[in-house]
Amino acid sequence: MSAAYKRILLKLSGEALMGDDAYGINEDVVSRIVSEIAEVTRLGVQVGVVIGGGNIFRGMKGAASGMDRATADYMGMLATVMNAMALADAMQRMDLEARVQSALRIDQVVEPYIRGRAIRHLEEGRVVIFAAGTGNPFFTTDTAAALRGSEIGAQIVLKATKVDGVYTADPKKDPSAQRYHRISFDEAIGRNLAVLDATAFALCRDQKLPINVFSIFKPGALKRVVMGEDEGTLVHS
Ligand SMILES: Nc1ncnc2c1ncn2[C@@H]1O[C@H](COP(=O)(O)OP(=O)(O)OP(=O)(O)O)[C@@H](O)[C@H]1O
Ligand SMILES: O=c1ccn([C@@H]2O[C@H](COP(=O)(O)O)[C@@H](O)[C@H]2O)c(=O)[nH]1
């Protein structure tokens, strides 16, 4: 059987990279995620990745303790660059070719985001890791995933996160919450389901770009989603 998609945009939770640690990047977690991505690339799927920064810094948290919000958000974006570099490094060590492109210019460190160049890397079979979110404060890496996914012509955004799908309410706060197998953008936005931010949902809806939310902790889940199997929750037009 062949993969259901030729090109995907994978959104990886930054917070999940901590594993059971209190902070930062857990090497074992990163290695496992990289193995799963490598498996998918061997199916001929082109993979773009957007990585979050919640394991290091979130702008909202900085702002809540008195920092200027935009300054705190730039720090959050820089945190995603560190995660992207750690991920790319782990990929190279496992013989998976990867490039990091940053939405904020730090040319001595990683390539700047150039859409055409990113697409060329993908066509060459390299994984492209999009760092620094959208490059703008007041956004999130979910919105960056929707944006980069649209720009590179991905057929789907795969949100690999700490929960195994979209629920009627936050399952971490409400144990009686039920998981949806499928849900429309209109319903997800109308019910204010906070698994993704509203801007990301709205952009994907406008671009008719479906989203599959699944657990980053479930071994083999990424491959199952890529093969078009029923895994997590599909958010559709
Ligand atoms: N209706 C819902 N269904 C599922 N999860 C929900 C819902 N509402 C809120 N959540 C929460 O959303 C979280 C996932 O989104 P969040 O933006 O926090 O993480 P992430 O983007 O995956 O990680 P990071 O920000 O670290 O990159 C889940 O851990 C869950 O607790
Ligand atoms: O486009 C963006 C993306 C992210 N940020 C800031 O980075 C942190 C980490 O991203 P998460 O999506 O929360 O993992 C986020 O809290 C923002 O502060 C941004 O400003 N713009």
Side-chain angles (χ1 to χ4, degrees), residues 52-54 57-59 72-73 76-77 80 133-142:
F57 194 83
R58 279 187 206 277
D73 278 342
M77 287 184 261
T80 74
T134 64
N136 299 289
F138 309 105
F139 288 96
T140 67
T141 52
D142 282 342

Side-chain angles (χ1 to χ4, degrees), residues 11-16 51-55 58 141-142 159-173 180 192-197 213:
K11 160 70 207 303
L12 290 177
S13 158
E15 219 174 285
I51 181 115
N55 55 324
R58 279 187 206 277
T141 52
D142 282 342
K159 171 156 171 147
T161 187
K162 292 151 284 181
V163 292
D164 62 354
V166 182
Y167 282 74
T168 49
D170 186 345
K172 294 211 166 136
K173 295 183 185 150
Y180 296 97
N192 279 322
L193 299 176
V195 64
L196 263 85
D197 63 83
V213 179

Side-chain angles (χ1 to χ4, degrees), residues 77-132:
M77 287 184 261
L78 292 174
T80 74
V81 177
M82 288 199 267
N83 283 338
M85 290 173 69
L87 196 64
D89 181 77
M91 287 179 178
Q92 305 286 9
R93 277 184 279 136
M94 292 170 80
D95 291 329
L96 181 58
E97 261 214 273
R99 294 288 185 278
V100 178
Q101 290 202 343
S102 172
L104 294 174
R105 294 203 69 146
I106 33 171
D107 296 356
Q108 291 91 335
V109 184
V110 291
E111 286 181 23
Y113 171 63
I114 299 172
R115 175 174 171 262
R117 203 160 172 186
I119 290 172
R120 184 81 186 127
H121 286 318
L122 293 169
E123 287 168 350
E124 295 288 334
R126 298 180 194 111
V127 176
V128 182
I129 306 171
F130 299 106

Side-chain angles (χ1 to χ4, degrees), residues 134-216:
T134 64
N136 299 289
F138 309 105
F139 288 96
T140 67
T141 52
D142 282 342
T143 299
L147 180 63
R148 297 295 183 240
S150 303
E151 288 186 88
I152 64 169
Q155 291 160 295
I156 191 163
V157 170
L158 307 184
K159 171 156 171 147
T161 187
K162 292 151 284 181
V163 292
D164 62 354
V166 182
Y167 282 74
T168 49
D170 186 345
K172 294 211 166 136
K173 295 183 185 150
D174 179 355
S176 70
Q178 301 286 310
R179 183 164 63 85
Y180 296 97
H181 281 283
R182 294 168 63 93
I183 184 170
S184 68
F185 282 112
D186 287 342
E187 194 175 349
I189 293 168
R191 288 181 182 271
N192 279 322
L193 299 176
V195 64
L196 263 85
D197 63 83
T199 312
F201 269 138
L203 182 52
C204 286
R205 178 177 63 181
D206 290 352
Q207 296 306 314
K208 298 190 172 32
L209 178 60
I211 305 169
N212 201 316
V213 179
F214 66 100
S215 171
I216 197 170

Side-chain angles (χ1 to χ4, degrees), residues 16-31:
L17 295 188
M18 294 190 298
D20 292 329
D21 302 342
Y23 176 83
I25 302 164
N26 179 295
E27 272 300 316
D28 294 340
V29 173
V30 172
S31 298

